[in-house]
Amino acid sequence: EPEVTQTPSHQVTQMGQEVILRCVPISNHLYFYWYRQILGQKVEFLVSFYNNEISEKSEIFDDQFSVERPDGSNFTLKIRSTKLEDSAMYFCASSDDRDREESASTDTQYFGPGTRLTVL
Amino acid sequence: AQTVTQSQPEMSVQEAETVTLSCTYDTSENNYYLFWYKQPPSRQMILVIRQEAYKQQNATENRFSVNFQKAAKSFSLKISDSQLGDTAMYFCAFMGYNTDKLIFGTGTRLQVFP
């Protein structure tokens, strides 16, 4: 069964450094997402991405964050200058295409295993 | 703003028994979606079951079923005939009709004992 994959599984970085977290969504999916989970807290939505542009983002997703689909398979999350409070588990997810006009349903988001980011 | 509350941080159940995990949510929307995701130790989250708010019938998937009470804004998950492989963190999640954003609860850690 196809799965979302993420690399690396654990990233350690110094405060102020840039990090890029990588995700390979399921191949025929067209909607992509990033979520994060700070230790002991809820999983929080960061951003959704469709047709090469951000479709929705949360208040957390400020100018320090950016997303990109550099090729036909990868989906990346960049944090330009990491802060201590960026330490968290970052989850990528993807979902299939759907036509909102014709369908009252929404497609399931399939999650990757996560990247644990530790900012020192 | 929508919120999702899971009031049981941890639950345990004996193999073959039935367990119910609670979830309540708050929204002013009439149409929305509700989900239960399972995250086994060191594994990714996978969808267990989903419910469209406009459907009155409770969703079922094999041993998993929900009790969806729209007026009470309650969405509990019942696991029948619990198996050791059901040991996992279970997250309840809400999605509004015109958004792709999942809003998660804090999760319930379920341990199934032999």
Side-chain angles (χ1 to χ4, degrees), chain A residues 2-58:
Chain A
E3 287 186 337
V4 176
T5 59
Q6 291 185 244
T7 54
S9 57
H10 191 192
Q11 173 91 46
V12 181
T13 189
Q14 295 288 329
M15 189 170 58
Q17 296 295 305
E18 174 182 288
V19 294
I20 298 176
L21 309 184
R22 290 182 169 79
C23 168
V24 178
I26 294 173
S27 63
N28 62 338
H29 284 184
L30 298 177
Y31 291 81
F32 314 113
Y33 314 88
W34 284 102
Y35 292 80
R36 79 171 185 192
Q37 185 179 29
I38 296 171
L39 189 63
Q41 298 185 25
K42 295 184 179 186
V43 176
E44 302 172 290
F45 171 81
L46 292 178
V47 67
S48 60
F49 189 86
Y50 169 71
N51 199 25
N52 281 320
E53 60 183 31
I54 291 172
S55 49
E56 193 172 356
K57 63 181 181 179
S58 71

Side-chain angles (χ1 to χ4, degrees), chain B residues 19-76:
Chain B
V19 65
T20 298
L21 308 185
S22 301
C23 174
T24 58
Y25 58 94
D26 189 29
T27 183
S28 57
E29 296 186 38
N30 189 49
N31 290 324
Y32 48 86
Y33 310 94
L34 295 162
F35 305 83
W36 278 99
Y37 277 88
K38 166 187 175 181
Q39 186 179 35
S42 303
R43 299 281 304 278
Q44 51 237 72
M45 273 192 285
I46 55 174
L47 182 72
V48 175
I49 198 165
R50 54 183 281 167
Q51 175 84 41
E52 285 82 2
Y54 66 87
K55 291 185 179 177
Q56 293 188 345
Q57 189 172 6
N58 288 328
T60 62
E61 286 288 340
N62 302 312
R63 299 181 295 108
F64 298 87
S65 61
V66 298
N67 184 5
F68 173 48
Q69 301 288 328
K70 192 173 183 181
K73 295 179 182 170
S74 169
F75 183 61
S76 61

